[in-house]
């Protein structure tokens, strides 16, 4: 199934932007009367019939919709320090979207070698990954912020998990999440925040701030994982717990 | 810690090949008397002291060794159909090595679009990944073979898992592996084989052959995953079960 994206509706009509319109009309050669499937990026899948196959601004009349399309039964925000090699971070964002993530927060730590990150490419990547993996919701990419600001921004009552390399008795994500299972509804979805540090790990001050704010240190197992691999292992462990 | 690789020892002396020697002597500028760490690719880490810093064939005297260096408490063979885009397969091989895998078997299915795969690049990638993630063992890359031949090659008493998209009541990898935990010793390590199909999934004949040979169908969850993502989710679920 080919999915298009648009968050622009006028009454009962969906309007595709120039890029999506060109893909729909020029590449896939859809014509008036064809039924297309469009996600709004917020979780809804629309069925719609093309009534103006304009390659610069195609319009389709909505004939049906499905909410929570391809949704997962949890809310997961991954705060991950950008890697030196940005390809590895983009790979993490794409794979996390396929598996199931809601928010990706690039965070800059005291030991981060990369202090800046442009989010435009990430936004394009996760949109394509959401469409490819048949999900109605596209993960939100936050603007880069410091690890400290992110720690302080998270609500007290959320489950807050920090993966870091310091020694100490740590639990696993599975232990923290079990017994887990699909919840009653959106309002009841468990909110999970996971923080993954840079190649140089968190500074002692960052780790102490997190612990003082109720973040729970976990181990991802005995293997020594790169930042982006640790992030995907954490996403998979959350995904697998539900 | 910087690891070198060599499977060539003469008495109590390790001999590095030209590539490793150049990296050790020219790039890292090690000199006679320096202690270096060398993996043999089969699980052992050697401590050795350089006694001939030859950039084409450095030699170091072994002063100590550690077996099962960075080892995981299971034996996992991942048989995965090559992806159309080979970068995605190479990415899977690198990440699986970091997380923990022992054998990577490129298998060609009836619905595989890619029927050939050169393994030289994969071998270099997993060697680099093993060194980077501090593992003494380097995964074995098998030569490409058909899905049928692989199914028939696996011992009857091993745990054989097939991930495919056909409907039907399926269990999860965690259910099949629990209760799991570190085993008594190498001889007792659980042997796990996991088969992941191509973009077009397995043919009915391939799936029926696997089921007739005792392969257990599992689900990797509700997300629609690309071949290489499914493979990494499976590796992570095995890794997380121990």
């Amino acid at each position: 199934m080919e999915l298009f994206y648009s968050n622009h509706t006028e009454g009962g009509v969906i309007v595709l932007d120039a890029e999506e319109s060109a893909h729909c009309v020029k590449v896939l050669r859809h014509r008036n009367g064809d039924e297309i499937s469009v996600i709004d990026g917020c979780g809804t899948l629309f069925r719609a019939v093309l009534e103006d196959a304009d390659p610069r601004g195609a319009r389709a009349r909505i004939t049906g919709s499905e909410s929570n399309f391809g949704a997962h039964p949890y809310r997961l925000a991954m705060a991950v320090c950008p890697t030196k090699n940005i390809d590895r971070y983009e790979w993490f964002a794409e794979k996390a979207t396929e598996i199931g993530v809601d928010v990706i927060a690039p965070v800059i730590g005291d030991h981060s070698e990369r202090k800046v990150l442009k989010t435009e490419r990430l936004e394009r990547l996760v949109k394509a990954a959401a469409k490819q993996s048949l999900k109605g919701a596209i993960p939100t990419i936050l603007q880069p912020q410091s690890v400290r600001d992110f720690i302080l921004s998270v609500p007290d009552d959320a489950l807050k998990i920090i993966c870091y390399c310091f020694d100490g008795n740590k639990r696993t994500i599975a232990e923290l999440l079990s017994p887990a299972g699909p919840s009653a509804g959106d309002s009841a979805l468990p909110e999970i925040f996971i923080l993954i540090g840079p190649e140089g790990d968190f500074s002692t001050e960052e780790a102490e701030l997190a612990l003082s704010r109720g973040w729970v240190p976990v181990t991802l197992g005995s293997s020594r994982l790169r930042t982006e691999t640790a992030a995907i292992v954490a996403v998979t462990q959350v995904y697998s717990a539900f």
Side-chain angles (χ1 to χ4, degrees), chain A residues 148-205:
Chain A
R148 281 183 181 73
D149 289 346
F150 184 81
I151 288 172
L152 297 174
S153 73
V154 175
D156 288 340
D157 58 351
L159 175 55
K160 304 181 288 295
I161 293 171
I162 180 169
C163 308
Y164 67 129
C165 307
F166 299 11
D167 290 339
N169 192 1
K170 294 176 201 161
R171 297 152 74 189
T172 66
I173 287 176
E175 287 165 1
L176 289 177
L177 293 180
S178 72
S183 359
D186 274 4
S187 60
L189 289 186
E191 290 265 357
I192 305 158
F193 294 78
I194 298 183
L195 188 52
I196 308 255
E199 280 88 347
D201 208 352
F202 296 109
S203 68
T204 309
E205 296 70 22

Side-chain angles (χ1 to χ4, degrees), chain A residues 77-211:
Chain A
M78 292 295 300
V80 181
C81 291
T83 49
K84 280 175 281 186
N85 172 343
I86 201 62
D87 291 350
R88 296 181 172 276
Y89 201 80
E90 293 179 347
W91 164 79
F92 145 69
E94 178 188 309
K95 294 310 174 193
T97 302
E98 278 182 57
I99 298 167
V101 71
D102 299 283
V103 175
I104 293 175
V107 289
I108 311 301
D110 293 338
H111 298 166
S112 286
E113 295 195 31
R114 174 183 287 275
K115 307 273 189 196
V116 293
L117 178 81
K118 291 200 169 55
T119 57
E120 292 74 8
R121 267 180 60 92
L122 284 178
E123 283 157 4
R124 281 201 302 279
L125 273 171
V126 298
K127 184 198 290 185
K131 289 160 61 178
Q132 193 274 338
S133 55
L134 304 186
K135 295 177 187 296
I138 298 171
T140 302
I141 309 286
L142 301 185
Q143 285 302 307
Q145 59 186 305
S146 73
V147 164
R148 281 183 181 73
D149 289 346
F150 184 81
I151 288 172
L152 297 174
S153 73
V154 175
D156 288 340
D157 58 351
L159 175 55
K160 304 181 288 295
I161 293 171
I162 180 169
C163 308
Y164 67 129
C165 307
F166 299 11
D167 290 339
N169 192 1
K170 294 176 201 161
R171 297 152 74 189
T172 66
I173 287 176
E175 287 165 1
L176 289 177
L177 293 180
S178 72
S183 359
D186 274 4
S187 60
L189 289 186
E191 290 265 357
I192 305 158
F193 294 78
I194 298 183
L195 188 52
I196 308 255
E199 280 88 347
D201 208 352
F202 296 109
S203 68
T204 309
E205 296 70 22
E206 289 168 333
E208 287 172 349
L209 175 64
L211 298 184

